[in-house]
Amino acid sequence: MAKRLELGISVGIAGYSVGLSATYAALALHLQSQGHSAFDVALNAAASPLGMVLCAALLPRISRGPAHKWLLASAFVSAGALVLCALLPTFWVLWLLRFVLGLSTNVMFVVGESSLMTIAERSAVGKTMALYNALVTLGYACGPLLVLSGIGHAGTLAAASAIMLGLSAPALLSPELRQIDLSPSRDKVALSRLSWLARLLPLILATAAVAIFDNGALSFFPTSAIALGYGERVGASLASAALVGAVVIQIPAGILADRYRKASVLSAFAAAAFLSCSAIYTFALAEAALLLAAFTAGAAAFGLYTVVLASVAEQFSKDLLVTANSMLALAWGLGSLMGVPTVGAVMDALGSKYVGVALASLFAVALILFWRRSDSKQELA
């Protein structure tokens, strides 16, 4: 029964990732067709990460009661926001709706992940989070296919809304989900924010690094490849190779997290991400070598995030999971919001070939912190 609920929650959150990635692509094309500049498109898209950041900051204080009611509210608000985006596609209305969408979807991610960690077997939490991460990554990769289907931006948003509701329904209707209560005690929430932040810093920074890689790789690998004369085909292939690597690594990453000390596995993935990102456009110059470096970078970065999630599941007691996952969500939102412009500024200053080095520097800092805090088995709760 628990395995079925684990799969249901993972599939439901994957439905959200399909909807979000389809929404980003559809609304970007719609706004461009209306004559808006690239800056306008970026400003509109920034509304969702802003909502996610605010939600991550507030959720530990306001989340009380069964996880079921929060997930149900998230499903209906998110689906409704997408339908309204299709019906009211003007710039500032879309900005507001995307802000609401960031708030509501982050409830699904934080509460859903916390519920998943609660019911996962301690001996197999790595594989549970790996399957979850694989499905979510696949969802992000599949979302743009809705745009390519030719049903228009309104049809894409309506389909994304239906997919969100449809894929999350089995988990939301499960009686077992109603039994999960993640309410934290007030004292422990305060303690987590004041005392545990420093001890969680490596995991938080690693999450931010993966978020920046996720957005930066998809944004800058194609454009930098074209700028360096590799052509559009190679540029598009690099982003695809990184996504394939991100999916393929998940189950091996989960097995490693379950079998070995998580501190060692975290360090290994951070080191692999550093080396493979550094190789892009610097040491790897042939097309095949570039694709291998991008594949390895995607695998290392998203494998690292899977082990981060498994570490949180192992180190936190049930009533503190929402707080811990909110911290990770806050790091992801801030990384998405501020990290990509920073990488772009580095590229403008140093040149397009240094996009990999800019991304690698983040994993280098995370690796140093993992080494300094190698005793990840120590209980935090």
Side-chain angles (χ1 to χ4, degrees):
M1 193 68 71
K3 291 294 183 184
R4 188 167 61 184
L5 182 56
E6 287 178 14
L7 181 61
I9 293 173
S10 298
V11 170
I13 299 177
Y16 273 59
S17 65
V18 173
L20 284 175
S21 61
T23 299
Y24 275 109
L27 291 182
L29 293 173
H30 169 72
L31 291 171
Q32 285 179 342
S33 71
Q34 298 299 309
H36 290 282
S37 66
F39 176 80
D40 289 339
V41 173
L43 176 64
N44 199 271
S48 288
L50 278 174
M52 291 179 179
V53 168
L54 180 61
C55 175
L58 294 178
L59 197 56
R61 290 190 176 275
I62 65 175
S63 59
R64 297 293 183 272
H68 172 265
K69 71 174 186 179
W70 289 96
L71 296 177
L72 194 62
S74 170
F76 282 105
V77 172
S78 299
L82 286 178
V83 171
L84 290 175
C85 283
L87 297 175
L88 304 169
T90 58
F91 184 87
W92 288 110
V93 174
L94 285 176
W95 193 97
L96 179 60
L97 289 171
R98 294 176 84 169
F99 178 78
V100 172
L101 191 63
L103 286 170
S104 61
T105 54
N106 212 38
V107 171
M108 172 61 81
F109 282 108
V110 171
V111 178
E113 288 175 2
S114 300
S115 300
L116 195 58
M117 292 174 182
T118 298
I119 61 177
E121 294 180 13
R122 296 300 93 185
S123 61
V125 68
K127 290 192 284 291
T128 297
M129 302 317 297
L131 177 60
Y132 159 77
N133 221 10
L135 290 172
V136 170
T137 305
L138 273 175
Y140 275 114
C142 292
L145 296 178
L146 288 177
V147 179
L148 298 177
S149 66
I151 57 178
H153 84 276
T156 296
L157 294 171
S161 176
I163 288 172
M164 278 188 175
L165 285 177
L167 292 184
S168 61
L172 293 174
L173 297 175
S174 171
E176 291 79 13
L177 185 63
R178 299 174 183 270
Q179 300 173 13
I180 300 175
D181 192 328
L182 301 171
S183 300
S185 68
R186 185 171 300 176
D187 291 340
K188 285 193 174 183
V189 170
L191 180 62
S192 68
R193 289 180 172 176
L194 295 174
S195 303
W196 296 353
L197 184 60
R199 300 183 69 181
L200 281 174
L201 184 60
L203 300 179
I204 291 172
L205 183 62
T207 299
V210 177
I212 295 170
F213 175 86
D214 181 32
N215 289 271
L218 296 180
S219 299
F220 296 128
F221 280 1
T223 57
S224 56
I226 294 171
L228 292 169
Y230 288 97
E232 293 183 4
R233 182 182 61 81
V234 174
S237 298
L238 286 178
S240 298
L243 285 173
V244 171
V247 174
V248 168
I249 197 61
Q250 292 306 317
I251 299 303
I255 293 173
L256 289 172
D258 289 334
R259 289 186 179 179
Y260 301 101
R261 291 183 66 248
K262 290 182 177 58
S264 300
V265 181
L266 286 166
S267 297
F269 274 112
F274 168 73
L275 293 172
S276 53
C277 285
S278 298
I280 297 172
Y281 300 134
T282 51
F283 304 109
L285 299 177
E287 180 178 339
L290 278 173
L291 290 173
L292 178 60
F295 174 89
T296 306
F302 282 89
L304 175 63
Y305 186 59
T306 292
V307 185
V308 166
L309 292 176
S311 298
V312 169
E314 179 184 77
Q315 295 177 12
F316 278 88
S317 61
K318 183 180 71 172
D319 65 341
L320 290 168
L321 285 174
V322 169
T323 300
N325 282 311
S326 292
M327 291 181 183
L328 297 188
L330 186 62
W332 189 283
L334 289 174
S336 300
L337 192 61
M338 300 190 308
V340 175
T342 302
V343 173
V346 171
M347 289 174 59
D348 288 340
L350 301 179
S352 294
K353 70 179 295 183
Y354 291 103
V355 59
V357 174
L359 294 170
S361 63
L362 302 163
F363 294 105
V365 176
L367 178 59
I368 292 170
L369 290 176
F370 287 140
W371 282 340
R372 287 173 61 90
R373 299 178 181 275
S374 59
D375 187 16
S376 69
K377 285 284 186 180
Q378 186 172 355
E379 286 291 329
L380 294 179

